[in-house]
Amino acid sequence: MRPVTLPAPGRGQDLQVRVTAPTTGSGMPVVVLSHGATLTMDDYAPLAAHWAAHGFIVVQPTHLDSLGLAPDDPRTPRVWRIRTDDLTGVLDHLDTIEAEVPGLVGRIDHDRVAVAGHSWGAQSASTLVGARVVDADGTPGESMADPRVRAAVLLCLPGTGGDDLSPPAAQHFPFMSPDFSELKAPSLIVAGDRDQSPLTVRGPDWFTDGYRLSPGATDLLTLFGAEHGLGGIQGSNDTRTTDENPERVALVQQATLAYLRTSLGLDAQAWPAAREALTAAAEPLGRIDSK
């Protein structure tokens, strides 16, 4: 169902979300999915549908940066922070979502909540599990961690800032300077080994910093041959995928579902079984590192 409109005082515009949920079942966990730059709540539909088909309620907000904010809009310098507010706003209004979506009343498990995101959306989602943005003086900023969030799936999570940023990124995206030391909730990092970003002077390993530097990122799924679209996880609405690969997209769907099921306490064997299956494959599409 879309759009479901949620109040967002101080944002300048109400928050609109897309909700994908199974037609039957109860006690369903929630995943709040944050989109990448210029995308909307209508992207990543195949991923959202896969999770929903296996018992999850997926809520996708459209962030302000996709609504054509002018450079001189007073909200523009804070749009990264407003993204986090969008995600916490969804959690604040789960009761509204439950009431607005036909047939959803009484079916949400409010104690099993995860966040997910791709690219800029991964950075936004990571703040709810403890990542902080480093201030101009080099100190980590305020914590925006939300105790309601029990796990995260972070796809193409941008790495550290400072000297690792390209000059354009340092100029236009000063908030892209994370500190991962307090990211403590169980998190899966997914990265492509050919994801060469114009945002960094480093190579694809930049997208693995969240795994290396945070205590909560328990696992890293590295996809062989994958670029920033990870095979096309954004779906058919986004034509920028440069590494189209349905098998890779299917692996992302299956692996993230398994991680969510285990990290939220639904099936202790789902993630171990997914790791074992990937390791045993004759021609694996990636590898999983764990700590």
Side-chain angles (χ1 to χ4, degrees):
M1 180 174 177
R2 58 151 332 265
V4 177
T5 301
L6 306 178
R11 188 177 185 264
Q13 292 160 276
D14 287 338
L15 177 62
Q16 292 195 333
V17 303
R18 175 188 180 118
V19 181
T20 308
T23 56
T24 61
S26 60
M28 295 181 293
V30 175
V31 182
V32 185
L33 174 57
S34 179
H35 62 73
T38 75
L39 301 179
T40 72
M41 61 182 172
D42 293 319
D43 292 286
Y44 307 97
L47 184 58
H50 184 80
W51 292 341
H54 291 83
F56 286 80
I57 297 169
V58 185
V59 186
Q60 299 172 256
T62 291
H63 297 298
L64 277 180
D65 50 278
S66 292
L67 299 178
L69 283 188
D72 60 351
D73 189 300
R75 295 169 294 178
T76 296
R78 297 186 65 253
V79 71
W80 68 270
R81 180 65 175 84
I82 297 171
R83 274 176 155 261
T84 297
D85 292 340
D86 290 346
L87 303 181
T88 57
V90 169
L91 300 183
D92 292 341
H93 292 95
L94 283 179
D95 288 341
T96 301
I97 292 171
E98 196 170 14
E100 290 290 330
V101 177
L104 201 57
V105 172
R107 299 173 59 208
I108 295 178
D109 185 343
H110 292 256
D111 293 324
R112 285 191 168 98
V113 175
V115 292
H118 174 238
S119 193
W120 193 2
Q123 185 187 40
S124 302
S126 73
T127 62
L128 269 69
V129 287
R132 295 183 289 175
V133 174
V134 177
D135 292 334
D137 62 2
T139 60
E142 65 173 313
S143 174
M144 294 168 277
D146 193 311
R148 294 172 292 187
V149 178
R150 292 177 50 178
V153 169
L154 305 172
L155 310 163
C156 302
L157 173 67
T160 53
D163 292 340
D164 289 340
L165 293 181
S166 64
Q171 178 182 357
H172 298 290
F173 308 115
F175 56 83
M176 198 164 284
S177 186
D179 177 275
F180 295 117
S181 60
E182 294 298 316
L183 196 164
K184 296 180 178 180
S187 301
L188 170 65
I189 310 295
V190 181
D193 68 0
R194 293 187 184 176
D195 188 356
Q196 183 61 63
S197 173
L199 299 175
T200 180
V201 296
R202 289 168 50 193
D205 70 299
W206 187 59
F207 291 99
T208 68
D209 286 352
Y211 174 72
R212 295 188 303 103
L213 301 174
S214 76
T218 59
D219 295 85
L220 168 66
L221 170 58
T222 302
L223 299 173
F224 302 151
E227 299 177 9
H228 202 60
L230 302 179
I233 61 169
Q234 306 97 314
S236 58
N237 285 343
D238 185 9
T239 60
R240 295 173 297 176
T241 297
T242 55
D243 63 333
E244 185 174 350
N245 187 303
E247 292 79 12
R248 190 176 296 139
V249 171
L251 175 58
V252 173
Q253 293 173 344
Q254 295 157 9
T256 55
L257 173 66
Y259 189 85
L260 288 168
R261 288 185 57 79
T262 294
S263 60
L264 292 178
L266 298 168
D267 182 352
Q269 295 306 311
W271 180 241
R275 287 187 305 187
E276 182 178 349
L278 186 61
T279 301
E283 296 182 5
L285 297 175
R287 71 171 186 275
I288 294 174
D289 297 296
S290 302
K291 63 184 182 186

